[in-house]
Amino acid sequence: HGVSGGVESAVDCGCGDWRKLGRGALRKGNTLEIAIIEVPTLKADESGFKRLISIVNQVYPHPYKYFEFDFSHCSRLDQHAVATLGMLAKYIDFHNKRTKSGIARAIIQRASITFRVGTMTDPVREKLISNNFLSHFFTKEGFAGYPKGSYIGYREHGYYLDENEIVGHLRGDWLTDEKLKINSDLKNTIVSHIFEIFMNAYGHGKKNGFSHGAMSCGRYDKKEGKLSLSVVDFGHGVCESVRRFQKEPDLSDSEALIWALKRGNSTKTDSQGLDIPRGLGFGLLSDFVGINQGKIEIYTNSAHAIANARNEYVVSKKGQSLNGTIVDIEINCDGKKYSFFDESKTDLTAYF
């Protein structure tokens, strides 16, 4: 394959020992069909989300197919795209590692996703190295990646949520004083609400009693003065969770998401084993992002929500549906000092 920038020109996501032959692949003598996915530029804007969900819908219905992602026409991948590509790789990997019984085991072909690193521009490849995305999929020893540690970028969250790891990362790496001037009490409360988004991903992310976990990706653009975070899961989605909870199968996706965004319609629990519906419970986080002129955006099932300048969510129906949920947060690092309006009389208690 050759090597570029310390990373192979094609990175296999760990589902078997593959040998590429042009546009085909062989494994143990069996021919396997390959689907080529052309990845466009994916910014965290309306067009970027639309293109990203289209890619998910090309892959999601075919978990036993072999996919190669070509980045020839991609000049930028924002945090929502990085987390979602990682979730797709995890989703394919999960389906192809499940044990099969009987004679069928001998003939099952294991699929995977390959990222064609050689088709990436230098800025895209360097970004996916620095944000720790590619190190999760590199198959050779000796790559100087850092799957754990202090950095802002791509993180995989397994079947059980590591509360200490996530909260420590949010406090110590992501929402630091160098990026945003914020009172410690307000910081703790914001971190607790962001952690609840991860809890929601595990609650809404359960499907058939099992969770694929969640993926997240943070991004800090010092030049633009923006701090971003995306959390992605491939469960049955917020809207379907609400329908099951309320036992209202005819409730539309938009109506269900409106319910989930209503203050008070959130269930906090320390249990990760309960398949319970949860609201989104942004609460003060939404207030803070509104004052900061930042952004909270949610894509789930066929519904979309974005907070406006009055801290109200505008919910709409989208033309294509997402099997799961993407939550994207953007904060402006504007040099202003943020704190509770009355620090002596806050009734908002941090989760921890």
Side-chain angles (χ1 to χ4, degrees), residues 195-233:
F195 177 75
E196 189 171 355
I197 293 173
F198 285 88
M199 290 287 287
N200 291 334
Y202 276 72
H204 298 304
K206 292 181 73 69
K207 179 173 286 188
N208 299 324
F210 187 82
S211 175
H212 298 118
M215 305 295 152
S216 69
C217 186
R219 176 172 172 264
Y220 174 54
D221 191 314
K222 189 173 183 179
K223 183 178 180 180
E224 295 182 3
K226 293 188 183 298
L227 184 63
S228 306
L229 178 70
S230 286
V231 181
V232 180
D233 72 76

Side-chain angles (χ1 to χ4, degrees), residues 114-135:
T114 293
F115 301 118
R116 291 181 171 179
V117 180
T119 65
M120 297 175 182
T121 63
D122 289 344
V124 168
R125 183 177 63 253
E126 290 167 6
K127 177 61 69 174
L128 292 181
I129 294 173
S130 66
N131 69 12
N132 201 25
F133 178 78
L134 288 180
S135 71

